[in-house]
């Protein structure tokens, strides 16, 4: 088990290294360059360009630039944005908590609702309730997140003006307003994620429910709810948890969209803004943060598997 | 893919391809969802091709006398903030939606099949390098990768399609590689090699026909995903440039007028969801017809971006 974790960590290290190189390459490939953003297009002499290039280390060959960038990034220094004049790290420190809060709330809501709903759907498999749940799933899978967001805006503007057009307020300033400002984004992104958890739970439960030990438990007279949630769900859990890694990709993409729709000052919005304003240090920094989070959480979920399923520990 | 199998002994083992195509269409039309999905998709393809002739107005012409006009006999779906006819713009937007779906999936399929077949057939170092580079691409959330690729390539219809194609090509490569590996040791390949058939010919004549059916299923299932990915990109302002009508950007603009002109978001949404549903249903139908061994209605939930 210990060996498995170590091999896994080494693999993660190399993937992260490759990811950082790719992100740096993307930053270098985006048309235009940082120097002209800083110096300005007109009236700048070649000497001015040269001075800025030297100051930023852009006159060195690309591999050297990459190593410098990576070493700085590992220390939390992503440079200074030529657009805002602030260090990229300052902006990241403000954006990351917003995105993390939304992501964690989404996982919480989708688990609290999706897990029991999946159990209920599996227990009532192919009855009316199950069919109803699955119909709603087909709809959710056919509708992109931003359409859900727009539909909610449409409904919200009519019937819940309190939740509609509330600009983002930090928790520290006004907790009530904060909850209000997060409600619509959360609802939007939790919708498809909950549907996925539900479908995954239903499938995993169906496989477990036919096992002999469930029949035995029933015969012995264990209460039905106890069978469903303690005996069956416990054994159905490993594939459901592994699935979180898969959901995460959708969740992170969803964050970008939802933050854009509801003007939340999170990492996704920061990234899009940076792309639109050609804020190169910001683009590479946000992309790197997103990708790193994705890789690391996926690895953690993988390592969680033997903890949940003792049968996997022997290897 | 027409295979002329008169001179080559190895191809004689394959079922004759000429009869398969109409039979496939026949099965598809008899499939419950197949006919429905194909019908809706054809409707959008027709709108895409002949849209400019059908549309009541020029999609980019402004009528300053009726800004944000609600749906009426004159403008069935209302008008937007510049007085442009929403119906005409929704019709014109189908051009982009259909084009991107076909273009990006075709590129992803072509690139993925070439990479997958080469990796599977030659193995060794090539295989290892290609596999690792795909792992790195898989390390990015799909939408994030698409966004950053568009940032690198620049906006526009083709670049957006190319970005989506790059994101989805590893899936095709994996599938093509697996199919190639599974027939790598088959007797007719040995026979072909012994008969002195050149490697390119073996790849194209003997491997490709075996690789294609599962890849086509994946392509059909990917159409809706690709269209959705593009809609998300264009909603985020990374699609085609402004005057061109496009569902994603229409939704993004219409959001600002959602309280006073809800028709600006309702109709693009209806079109988008209908086309996605058609692609989804058609994809499932094609899989049922081409791959009857697949059981259960479970579709990959990855359609949600």
């Amino acid at each position: 088990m210990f060996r498995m974790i170590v091999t896994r960590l080494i693999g993660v290290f190399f993937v992260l290294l490759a990811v950082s190189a790719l992100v740096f390459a993307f930053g270098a490939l985006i048309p235009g360059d940082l120097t002209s953003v800083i110096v300005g297009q007109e009236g700048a002499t070649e000497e001015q360009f040269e001075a800025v290039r030297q100051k930023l280390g852009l006159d060195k060959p690309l591999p050297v630039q990459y190593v410098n960038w990576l070493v700085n990034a590992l220390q939390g220094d992503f440079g200074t944005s030529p657009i805002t004049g602030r260090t990229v790290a300052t902006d990241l420190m403000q954006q990351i908590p917003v995105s993390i809060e939304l992501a964690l709330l989404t996982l919480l809501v989708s688990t609290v609702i999706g897990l029991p709903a999946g159990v209920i759907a599996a227990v009532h498999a192919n009855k009316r309730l199950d069919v109803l749940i699955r119909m709603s799933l087909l709809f959710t899978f056919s509708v992109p997140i931003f359409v859900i967001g727009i539909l909610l805006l449409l409904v919200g503007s009519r019937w819940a003006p309190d939740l509609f057009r509330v600009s983002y307020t930090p928790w520290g300033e006004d907790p009530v307003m904060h909850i209000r400002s997060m409600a619509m984004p959360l609802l939007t992104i939790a919708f498809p994620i909950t549907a996925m958890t539900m479908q995954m739970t239903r499938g995993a439960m169906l496989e477990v429910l036919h096992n002999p030990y469930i029949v035995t438990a029933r015969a012995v007279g264990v209460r039905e709810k106890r069978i469903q949630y303690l005996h069956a769900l416990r054994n159905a859990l490993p594939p459901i948890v592994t699935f979180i890694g898969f959901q995460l990709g959708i969740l992170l993409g969803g964050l970008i969209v939802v933050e854009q729709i509801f003007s939340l000052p999170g990492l996704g919005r920061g990234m899009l803004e940076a792309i639109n304003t050609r804020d190169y240090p910001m683009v590479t920094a946000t992309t790197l943060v997103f990708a790193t989070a994705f890789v690391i959480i996926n690895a953690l979920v993988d390592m969680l598997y033997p903890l949940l399923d003792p049968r996997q520990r022997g290897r | 893919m027409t295979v002329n199998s008169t001179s080559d002994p190895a191809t004689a083992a394959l079922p004759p391809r000429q009869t398969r195509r109409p039979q496939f269409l026949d099965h598809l039309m008899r499939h419950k969802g197949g006919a429905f999905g194909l019908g809706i998709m054809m409707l959008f393809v027709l709108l895409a091709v002949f849209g400019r002739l059908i549309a009541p107005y020029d999609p980019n012409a402004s009528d300053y006398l009726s800004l944000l006009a609600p749906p009426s006999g004159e403008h069935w779906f209302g008008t937007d903030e510049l007085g442009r006819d929403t119906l005409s713009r929704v019709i014109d937007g189908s051009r982009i939606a259909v084009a991107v779906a076909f273009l990006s999936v075709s590129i992803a399929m072509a690139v993925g099949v070439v990479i997958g077949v080469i990796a599977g057939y030659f193995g060794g170092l090539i295989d290892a390098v290609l596999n690792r580079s795909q792992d790195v691409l898989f390390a990015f959330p799909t939408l994030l990768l698409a966004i950053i690729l568009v940032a690198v390539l620049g906006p526009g219809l083709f670049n957006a399609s190319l970005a989506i194609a790059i994101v989805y090509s590893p899936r095709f490569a994996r599938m093509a590689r697996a199919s190639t590996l599974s027939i790598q040791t088959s007797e007719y390949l040995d026979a072909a090699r012994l008969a002195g058939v050149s490697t390119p010919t073996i790849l194209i004549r003997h491997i490709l026909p075996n690789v294609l059916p599962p890849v086509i299923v994946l392509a059909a299932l990917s159409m809706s995903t690709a269209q959705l990915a593009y809609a998300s990109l264009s909603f985020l302002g990374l699609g085609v440039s402004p005057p061109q009508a496009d569902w994603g950007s229409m939704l993004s603009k219409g959001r600002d007028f959602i309280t006073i002109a809800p028709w600006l978001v309702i109709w693009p949404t209806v079109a988008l969801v209908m086309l996605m549903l058609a692609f989804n249903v058609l994809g499932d139908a094609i899989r049922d017809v081409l791959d009857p061994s697949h059981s259960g209605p479970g579709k990959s939930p990855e359609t949600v971006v």
Side-chain angles (χ1 to χ4, degrees), chain A residues 18-19 22 26 31 141-142 144 146-147 150 153-154 157 192 246 250 253 257 260-261 271-272 275 283 287 290 294-295, chain B residues 136 138-140 143-144 147-148 151-152 228 231-232 235-236 251 255 258-259 262 269 272 276-277 280 302-304:
Chain A
V19 164
L22 194 57
F26 283 147
F141 285 150
S142 296
F146 63 87
V147 167
I150 292 230
L153 274 180
L154 205 59
S157 64
F246 178 78
I250 293 158
V257 174
Q260 186 69 10
I261 298 179
M271 177 183 167
L272 284 174
I275 288 178
V283 174
T287 314
F290 263 122
F294 189 55
V295 171
Chain B
V136 174
F138 275 123
F140 289 88
L143 185 60
L144 179 78
I147 289 175
I148 193 79
V152 170
L228 173 70
S232 303
F235 181 80
L236 296 174
L251 282 174
R255 185 185 45 165
I258 201 160
T259 41
T269 307
L272 190 79
M276 276 206 51
L277 212 60
N280 267 339
E302 200 158 351
T303 32
V304 189

Side-chain angles (χ1 to χ4, degrees), chain B residues 67-146:
Chain B
L67 303 181
L68 292 172
S72 62
E74 209 173 327
H75 297 282
W76 288 3
F77 289 2
T79 62
D80 66 6
E81 77 279 10
L82 296 174
R84 296 175 297 194
D85 183 54
T86 309
L87 174 61
S88 308
R89 288 182 72 73
V90 169
I91 291 177
D92 202 41
S94 63
R95 275 197 321 156
I96 307 289
V98 170
V100 168
F102 281 96
L103 195 60
S104 58
V105 172
S106 313
I107 300 175
M109 191 162 90
V111 173
V113 165
V114 169
I115 291 178
V117 166
I118 288 177
Y121 189 79
F122 294 104
L125 190 65
I126 303 182
D127 190 25
V129 169
L130 287 175
N131 261 331
R132 288 292 89 75
S133 39
Q134 281 172 28
D135 283 349
V136 174
L137 283 190
F138 275 123
F140 289 88
T142 47
L143 185 60
L144 179 78
L145 188 58

Side-chain angles (χ1 to χ4, degrees), chain A:
Chain A
M1 167 124 175
F2 180 71
R3 251 188 80 176
M4 189 206 90
I5 291 181
V6 170
T7 9
R8 182 73 221 198
L9 283 179
I10 294 173
V12 168
F13 172 77
F14 280 108
V15 168
L16 282 180
L17 202 63
V19 164
S20 70
L22 194 57
V23 169
F24 179 79
F26 283 147
L29 284 172
I30 292 179
D33 75 321
L34 187 57
T35 343
S36 53
V37 175
I38 296 176
V39 182
Q41 298 292 347
E42 294 148 42
T45 60
E46 194 47 47
E47 289 80 49
Q48 278 172 301
F49 271 103
E50 207 45 56
V52 173
R53 259 187 222 123
Q54 247 171 27
K55 193 172 139 238
L56 294 169
L58 293 176
D59 52 341
K60 301 195 178 70
L62 275 181
V64 178
Q65 282 186 43
Y66 164 65
V67 173
N68 286 341
W69 171 78
L70 187 62
V71 169
N72 286 334
L74 285 176
Q75 295 163 344
D77 176 14
F78 290 97
T80 307
S81 157
I83 309 294
T84 58
R86 293 186 298 268
T87 61
V88 172
T90 339
D91 281 3
L92 286 184
M93 289 318 282
Q94 281 174 357
Q95 290 165 354
I96 291 174
V98 179
S99 297
I100 289 185
E101 184 190 344
L102 194 54
L104 287 182
L105 282 175
T106 308
L107 280 182
L108 184 75
V109 168
S110 68
T111 312
V112 167
I113 298 175
L115 220 53
V119 172
I120 292 171
V123 171
H124 296 266
N126 296 324
K127 291 195 194 134
R128 203 177 295 162
L129 186 63
D130 178 43
V131 171
L132 198 74
I133 289 177
R134 274 161 57 201
M135 289 286 281
S136 63
L137 279 183
L138 182 71
F139 174 77
T140 327
F141 285 150
S142 296
V143 176
I145 284 182
F146 63 87
V147 167
I148 297 177
I150 292 230
L151 291 180
L152 281 176
L153 274 180
L154 205 59
V155 173
S157 64
R158 286 283 148 83
W159 289 287
D162 282 358
L163 295 177
F164 177 69
R165 291 245 162 111
V166 194
S167 56
Y168 176 78
T169 326
W171 175 266
E173 257 174 49
D174 185 349
V176 178
M177 283 307 278
H178 176 76
I179 295 172
R180 266 199 207 169
S181 64
M182 292 297 264
M184 291 276 268
L186 177 61
L187 206 57
T188 305
I189 192 169
F191 228 99
I193 305 281
T194 310
M196 273 177 237
T197 307
M198 190 157 78
Q199 197 193 32
M200 195 60 204
T201 310
R202 179 181 179 274
M205 280 291 286
L206 276 181
E207 272 178 26
V208 174
L209 276 175
H210 295 293
N211 277 336
Y213 66 81
I214 299 287
V215 182
T216 313
R218 278 210 185 104
V220 171
V222 181
R223 273 194 12 255
E224 189 60 26
K225 278 270 162 333
R226 198 180 155 82
I227 293 179
Q228 285 166 14
Y229 285 92
L230 222 70
H231 296 230
L233 186 59
R234 175 65 185 82
N235 277 285
L237 219 47
I240 301 173
V241 171
T242 324
F243 188 66
I244 292 180
F246 178 78
Q247 280 181 317
L248 192 75
I250 293 158
L251 179 57
L252 290 180
L255 282 182
I256 302 178
V257 174
V258 166
E259 286 173 5
Q260 186 69 10
I261 298 179
F262 296 100
S263 307
L264 284 186
L267 202 55
R269 194 173 160 79
M271 177 183 167
L272 284 174
E273 233 170 58
I275 288 178
N276 286 333
T277 53
R278 315 220 142 190
D279 188 343
Y280 300 98
M282 193 72 195
V283 174
T284 45
T286 44
T287 314
L288 189 66
V289 171
F290 263 122
T292 309
F294 189 55
V295 171
I296 289 182
I297 299 176
N298 259 326
L300 284 180
V301 169
D302 267 9
M303 285 187 235
L304 213 61
Y305 204 92
L307 283 183
L308 285 169
D309 190 349
R311 282 163 293 190
Q312 298 283 321
R313 272 177 222 167
R315 292 185 304 140

